[in-house]
Amino acid sequence: MTLIRTQINRRSFMKLSAAAGGGMMLGFSWLASCSSPKEQYAQIPEEWFDINAYIKIGENGTVTIYSPNPEIGQNVKTSMPVIVAEELDIDWKNVIVEQADLNTIKYNRQLAGGSQSIRHGWQSLRMAGATGRRMMMEAAAKQWEVPVSELTTSLGEVIHAASDRKIGYGALASLAATLEIPAEVETKDNADFKLIGGNIKNVDAKKIVTGKPLFGLDYEQEGMLTAMIVHPPAFGMKIKSYDDSEAKAMPGIKDVIVINTEPKEKQWSDTNAFTELIAVVGESTWQVMKAKKALKVEWEQDTPAENTEDHLRLLSEALDKPGEEIRKDGDPDKASIKAAKVVESVFSAPFLAHNTMEPMNFFANVTADKAELVGPVQTPEYLRLSAMDLLGMTEDQVSIQMTRMGGGFGRRLYGNFGLEAAAISQKMQAPIKLVYTREDDMTQGTYRPAYRVAYKASLDDNGNLLSWQAKGAGIPSDPLFPHRFPAGTVDNFKIERVGIPTNISTGAWRAPRSNFIAGAEQSFMDEVAEAAGKDPIEFRLNLFDRAIKDPVGETNDYDPERYAGVLKLVREKSNWGTEMPGVFRGVSAYYCHNSYVAQVVDLEKVGNALKIKKVWCAVDCGIVVNVEGALNQIQGGIIDGIGHAMYSTLTFKDGKPQQENFNGYKLIRNSEAPLEIETFFVENGIDPTGLGEPSLPPISAALANALYKATGQRYYHQPFSSAEQVQVEMVG
Amino acid sequence: MAAFSIKVNGKTHQVDVDSDTPVLWVLRDHLKLVGTKFGCGIASCGACTIHADGNAIRSCSLPVSAVKDMELTTIEGLSKDGDHPVQEAWLEHDVPQCGYCQAGQIMNAAAFLEKNSNPSDEEISQAMNGNICRCGTYIRINQAIKTAASKMS
């Protein structure tokens, strides 16, 4: 057991929140609990008793656990409540999970991003459960007039062994709810975990497979209208004039309006390029879709139109000039002059759309004194700030309810669609649901930036790494992390960056920057190891050895032992080094979002084509909260990473995205996925870190390195299936 | 606008809509059967898959006027208690991540297994190629179809 002093945390929260201007540091409704009169619970004839912000317990022992964070498919709606249930010590069968609404008083960091929900939630979720358990014990102690120290719990019951008595949490809930928050609570030792580390199935799975309304697009309110937006066809354009006479006369159409969502004060999440939009509002989706097509709009150029051709040239030119130096150790230029071998390569990747399967949408009901917003958003807190700004309302006037999301991948960090819904509702004075078509979704995105990076490394006569340098450019910003591997493993090291401005809106896309740079770095590492005449895993392990024994610099942001650990694990499990006729292998490892991943890809020849037979994956994310969910995330990240490295691209002509729907934008399909993915976890008992992103970044290099073995050709430019590169036929 | 009579999940419904309204929007907007999802609107992603006389079809591209006496089945009507072998296999393999595409995947898989109760791995992945899963649950989808096939045959 670990003793946690809740009082200290409570005080520190109060102090911190005052200093930070109202931010909540601890995820508890301390204030609400403390200020509630004790009689309140007895007076309200409710079946449920609120224990804290995360837990309410019914008289029959059923427990509702509120999942605080947005659910985008990363399965936190299951795994966060599992942590609470573990410490509350209850039977999972008796748990109902509910999605919490946005509430910054009760919860902290209600955000889906950076694979941080579990890492940040770990302590507060455990404390929520442990506090609830302690209050059950105190309630039983009061009722039985025995000391709390004589009590234990098991599966939702308090037990007094000395008198052979048991009582369920349900029978204690009404009394427990009146108790003060305990000053100290005990959390379990890892060895005593019953739920954590097991397999708990997705709590929404039954609803998903039976088609129950769960998603934003499924949300409905009485009298609700449907709205769609018309945005400029190209980045750099704006509305000049429009003729809505035909559209307005169509059946079911209520109005055609112009909205402007330009914020007075921009949040980081306000990235959208198009703030002035035309909205068509009507009774049903199809009617609005048809009216949208009947609208005649004249657009005018506002800022210069951009083209993919120009982007490629600008990226290439950017790497010919010196960049901004963001880390330098030793003198890599000098070192490479004296080197026995110099290796140089350039890698690139295009813009990508997020393409969540559920297109952007949001419900809004804005009246004179309040705004009710419901829908899929990864950053409800920031959407509320932007909505307050747009509507001129205060925090208590704007409510946000989070629906399950049909994918996020970073797109729903940027809640412009929520603001658009609010603006439309305000103007229409009606509840509306804004729905994007797929074309709206793909052509009005907040895209993954386009990147290009040039690497240069040098080796001595014995194949030891003398220098490593990378110069990266991006539209609008570079993909590099100056303190990540191989920083710290080599005396002469340099990172330079160049940003190229654009009028195309860009933002985080699953594992931002890492989603490209991991693949580039780990492919280049493979080339360098080959030039050194060394096994690629051995070559990396030697570098980690240096970082363990005698690291260069003090700002390296990874743990070389854990990094080496996943490589060793994948080497062992995949029998790396064993010749397998007809199988071509590539390896890669990366650290991001606080977790370590190493992967081996096995490609197999099927006739003249290649098939990804198997991906071996070793992961160090500390404690695995829910194994089934973790495996699902890892498999998904790998397939997502393979798909985008192989097939996907978004290009521009005269500012206009050239791919508008899934017939032009290729996403990986069933038959192109690996046949098998086998994952191995490092067991080290360290507090858990995220899994929504870390399996994606390294896979493009493991694939590229395996493709090299199979074809003799290095794959430098994504998508690997592009016409410019030596074509390899993949089974699909 | 015109009146159409369509049979969905064994029940006949009267709807007053434009004749070119896709069945997807009739289901979602008018019959409030929102289990069938909108993904692309051009029959490219499979999210809107339903059954028409037992065949898997894309409801986003089937106008209501073409339905006539077809018997339509949606995810809500695939089984009475959500216990179709494909649905059960989906739960057993914990397939969904975000879950948005899964109704379409399940409907496609269920129709496929009615025609091929003992499919090979390759037949499964080819049959499922029209259904995009952006989360990448393909391996589990295929495993679940195997499990369902073993129970159905």
Side-chain angles (χ1 to χ4, degrees):
Chain A
M1 294 269 187
T2 308
L3 212 58
I4 298 177
R5 295 182 63 86
T6 60
Q7 292 287 4
I8 287 171
N9 283 320
R10 177 172 7 179
R11 275 192 218 107
S12 68
F13 137 62
M14 285 173 171
K15 222 163 72 187
L16 278 165
S17 70
M24 186 77 180
M25 300 306 291
L26 257 184
F28 285 87
S29 58
W30 297 117
L31 295 172
S33 304
C34 294
S35 61
S36 301
K38 285 179 184 175
E39 300 76 21
Q40 184 186 329
Y41 292 97
Q43 289 166 355
I44 297 170
E46 289 278 350
E47 200 192 348
W48 291 104
F49 298 95
D50 290 322
I51 304 303
N52 59 39
Y54 294 87
I55 301 165
K56 63 178 182 183
I57 298 181
E59 278 161 350
N60 61 353
T62 301
V63 179
T64 292
I65 302 179
Y66 290 97
S67 184
N69 282 27
E71 173 63 61
I72 56 175
Q74 84 282 43
N75 211 28
V76 291
K77 193 173 172 185
T78 304
S79 50
M80 294 183 100
V82 161
I83 299 168
V84 177
E86 177 72 68
E87 292 291 353
L88 185 56
D89 207 17
I90 49 176
D91 192 332
W92 184 253
K93 286 206 301 274
N94 298 329
V95 173
I96 295 169
V97 173
E98 277 183 36
Q99 176 71 58
D101 294 344
L102 174 65
N103 189 327
T104 47
I105 310 288
K106 285 182 174 177
Y107 311 105
N108 64 349
R109 202 185 180 281
Q110 286 182 282
L111 188 150
S115 299
Q116 297 298 308
S117 294
I118 293 297
R119 179 168 173 256
H120 279 280
W122 179 242
Q123 287 302 342
S124 49
L125 293 164
R126 292 183 76 185
M127 210 191 289
T131 304
R133 175 176 172 271
R134 173 75 191 185
M135 287 163 80
M136 293 300 137
M137 290 165 75
E138 286 181 6
K142 236 177 180 177
Q143 196 159 320
W144 290 336
E145 296 179 336
V146 297
V148 179
S149 59
E150 289 180 12
L151 300 175
T152 55
T153 61
S154 177
L155 294 176
E157 289 182 323
V158 180
I159 300 159
H160 187 234
S163 61
D164 198 22
R165 278 184 290 184
K166 277 183 186 178
I167 184 167
Y169 286 2
L172 293 166
S174 63
L175 177 57
T178 65
L179 300 177
E180 289 289 318
I181 300 282
E184 288 180 340
V185 295
E186 287 170 331
T187 54
K188 286 184 181 176
D189 289 335
N190 294 359
D192 297 327
F193 289 156
K194 291 175 194 151
L195 295 172
I196 290 172
N199 289 311
I200 303 286
K201 292 203 155 88
N202 187 328
V203 293
D204 279 340
K206 180 85 182 187
K207 288 179 183 164
I208 291 167
V209 305
T210 52
K212 297 284 182 298
L214 279 172
F215 299 93
L217 208 65
D218 305 339
Y219 187 80
E220 199 193 346
Q221 268 190 23
E222 187 77 33
M224 176 185 90
L225 297 171
T226 297
M228 288 195 165
I229 48 128
V230 179
H231 67 85
F235 287 87
M237 296 194 101
K238 62 174 187 177
I239 304 166
K240 187 180 178 191
S241 64
Y242 66 97
D243 173 3
D244 60 8
S245 49
E246 193 187 331
K248 265 181 160 169
M250 290 172 75
I253 299 306
K254 296 283 179 188
D255 208 349
V256 176
I257 58 173
V258 172
I259 55 160
N260 197 324
T261 57
E262 181 78 41
K264 288 185 268 305
E265 193 183 330
K266 254 193 182 183
Q267 301 299 323
W268 66 270
S269 50
D270 292 319
T271 56
N272 190 33
F274 305 117
T275 47
E276 194 184 46
L277 301 158
I278 302 168
V280 182
V281 187
E283 284 167 5
S284 70
T285 314
W286 185 246
Q287 290 172 324
V288 175
M289 273 184 179
K290 282 171 74 176
K292 198 180 149 179
K293 285 182 187 153
L295 206 61
K296 294 178 188 70
V297 192
E298 247 192 279
W299 309 97
E300 63 184 337
Q301 204 71 37
D302 186 28
T303 54
E306 298 182 18
N307 290 288
T308 293
E309 268 173 39
D310 300 330
H311 289 153
L312 295 175
R313 180 178 47 77
L314 289 167
L315 283 166
S316 186
E317 286 170 3
L319 297 184
D320 292 337
K321 294 176 284 195
E324 179 199 351
E325 208 169 86
I326 49 174
R327 174 156 170 166
K328 191 177 179 189
D329 302 320
D331 190 339
D333 293 316
K334 203 168 137 194
S336 46
I337 292 167
K338 290 189 292 183
K341 267 185 191 167
V342 173
V343 187
E344 288 184 272
S345 291
V346 176
F347 298 80
S348 70
F351 287 97
L352 293 177
H354 293 86
N355 289 331
T356 61
M357 289 309 291
E358 180 192 16
M360 297 307 113
N361 65 84
F362 230 82
F363 169 86
N365 187 12
V366 178
T367 56
D369 55 359
K370 74 177 177 66
E372 183 190 1
L373 304 179
V374 185
V377 64
Q378 293 177 245
T379 52
E381 193 177 341
Y382 294 93
L383 173 59
R384 184 169 64 187
L385 288 171
S386 299
M388 285 156 55
D389 180 309
L390 177 79
L391 303 169
M393 287 186 177
T394 53
E395 190 174 294
D396 59 327
Q397 291 176 293
V398 182
S399 68
I400 298 193
Q401 189 184 325
M402 292 172 266
T403 58
R404 188 177 183 86
M405 283 175 251
F409 312 105
R411 175 60 184 91
R412 296 189 220 268
L413 292 167
Y414 312 101
N416 58 288
F417 41 86
L419 280 185
E420 290 156 14
I424 296 166
S425 174
Q426 188 182 39
K427 221 163 193 173
M428 293 299 297
Q429 300 184 354
I432 64 102
K433 182 167 69 182
L434 170 67
V435 178
Y436 277 26
T437 62
R438 175 57 56 192
E439 289 80 5
D440 295 333
D441 190 280
M442 209 179 284
T443 59
Q444 196 198 192
T446 295
Y447 307 112
R448 195 280 297 273
Y451 294 125
R452 190 173 179 91
V453 61
Y455 282 104
K456 183 176 181 182
S458 65
L459 297 157
D460 70 11
D461 287 329
N462 299 317
N464 297 310
L465 189 63
L466 287 177
S467 70
W468 177 283
Q469 46 191 315
K471 191 195 291 179
I475 305 171
S477 55
D478 73 287
L480 290 159
F481 295 89
H483 306 299
R484 284 191 181 169
F485 178 79
T489 70
V490 55
D491 289 305
N492 303 293
F493 181 84
K494 188 164 75 175
I495 300 288
E496 290 169 273
R497 67 178 178 195
V498 188
I500 299 164
T502 181
N503 60 12
I504 294 164
S505 41
T506 62
W509 189 102
R510 195 177 195 176
R513 293 185 286 162
S514 303
N515 57 44
F516 164 68
I517 203 67
E521 171 207 297
Q522 289 290 302
S523 295
F524 186 62
M525 188 63 73
D526 204 68
E527 264 188 289
V528 176
E530 186 186 41
K534 292 184 180 163
D535 170 78
I537 294 184
E538 204 54 47
F539 187 75
R540 287 168 173 83
L541 291 176
N542 286 338
L543 294 174
F544 287 123
D545 209 34
R546 168 76 199 269
I548 292 164
K549 289 177 183 148
D550 179 24
V552 182
E554 287 166 1
T555 52
N556 306 317
D557 66 0
Y558 58 92
D559 177 339
E561 297 203 38
R562 291 179 77 181
Y563 223 138
V566 288
L567 266 171
K568 286 177 187 165
L569 185 60
V570 86
R571 178 172 68 176
E572 177 206 325
K573 296 294 182 184
S574 70
N575 288 312
W576 180 263
T578 314
E579 274 299 311
M580 291 188 293
V583 175
F584 306 93
R585 314 191 101 175
V587 67
S588 173
Y590 205 64
Y591 165 72
C592 63
H593 304 91
N594 315 93
S595 296
Y596 300 80
V597 175
Q599 290 158 342
V600 168
V601 162
D602 287 354
L603 281 176
E604 197 177 41
K605 270 229 159 103
V606 181
N608 287 325
L610 290 167
K611 174 78 195 165
I612 304 171
K613 187 183 158 202
K614 180 162 182 174
V615 178
W616 307 78
C617 186
V619 177
D620 180 354
C621 59
I623 294 164
V624 180
V625 173
N626 182 13
V627 175
E628 199 62 57
L631 291 173
N632 218 342
Q633 289 307 300
I634 290 161
Q635 290 166 0
I638 287 170
I639 292 171
D640 189 3
I642 289 171
H644 283 90
M646 279 299 302
Y647 307 113
S648 306
T649 186
L650 185 79
T651 55
F652 295 88
K653 190 165 189 318
D654 299 327
K656 187 177 171 13
Q658 294 299 285
Q659 295 75 24
E660 297 187 334
N661 205 323
F662 296 134
N663 55 352
Y665 191 108
K666 179 157 167 53
L667 290 169
I668 191 167
R669 300 277 176 162
N670 189 309
S671 66
E672 292 150 347
L675 291 178
E676 186 187 357
I677 296 171
E678 193 173 9
T679 300
F680 306 90
F681 293 104
V682 174
E683 289 179 28
N684 54 20
I686 295 172
D687 285 356
T689 50
L691 274 180
E693 289 158 292
S695 74
L696 184 146
I699 193 65
S700 59
L703 174 62
N705 297 339
L707 282 169
Y708 170 65
K709 289 288 178 191
T711 65
Q713 174 75 29
R714 291 273 175 199
Y715 283 79
Y716 296 113
H717 304 288
Q718 294 182 20
F720 298 152
S721 63
S722 66
E724 296 80 28
Q725 293 174 87
V726 171
Q727 285 295 289
V728 53
E729 193 193 335
M730 299 290 283
V731 174
Chain B
M1 306 274 267
F4 293 92
S5 168
I6 63 168
K7 200 170 175 190
V8 183
N9 300 332
K11 230 173 113 183
T12 303
H13 301 265
Q14 310 294 329
V15 289
D16 190 20
V17 294
D18 282 358
S19 61
D20 60 354
T21 307
V23 167
L24 168 67
W25 296 112
V26 174
L27 294 171
R28 290 188 59 88
D29 282 359
H30 303 277
L31 305 183
K32 309 299 178 195
L33 293 168
V34 296
T36 305
K37 300 304 187 208
F38 168 54
C40 67
I42 57 163
S44 276
C45 77
C48 67
T49 305
I50 62 167
H51 297 172
D53 295 333
N55 298 309
I57 58 122
R58 304 303 167 78
S59 65
C60 74
S61 301
L62 176 71
V64 66
S65 58
V67 173
K68 299 193 163 66
D69 56 358
M70 283 181 195
E71 301 235 1
L72 304 182
T73 307
T74 70
I75 187 73
E76 291 92 343
L78 182 63
S79 62
K80 197 164 158 277
D81 301 307
D83 56 357
H84 185 282
V86 173
Q87 288 169 310
E88 287 189 334
W90 244 248
L91 296 176
E92 184 183 329
H93 289 275
D94 211 19
V95 173
Q97 287 188 31
C98 86
Y100 191 80
C101 74
Q102 300 296 350
Q105 304 273 4
I106 288 168
M107 294 307 283
N108 198 54
F112 166 65
L113 288 175
E114 285 297 331
K115 293 181 174 58
N116 183 349
S117 58
N118 186 24
S120 67
D121 290 348
E122 207 187 330
E123 285 170 335
I124 292 173
S125 62
Q126 288 302 329
M128 298 304 292
N129 252 0
N131 289 69
I132 297 174
C133 173
R134 178 66 183 79
C135 300
T137 63
Y138 296 130
I139 293 176
R140 282 171 192 249
I141 285 172
N142 296 352
Q143 287 166 342
I145 291 172
K146 282 269 200 200
T147 298
S150 69
K151 287 184 182 156
M152 284 168 79
S153 60

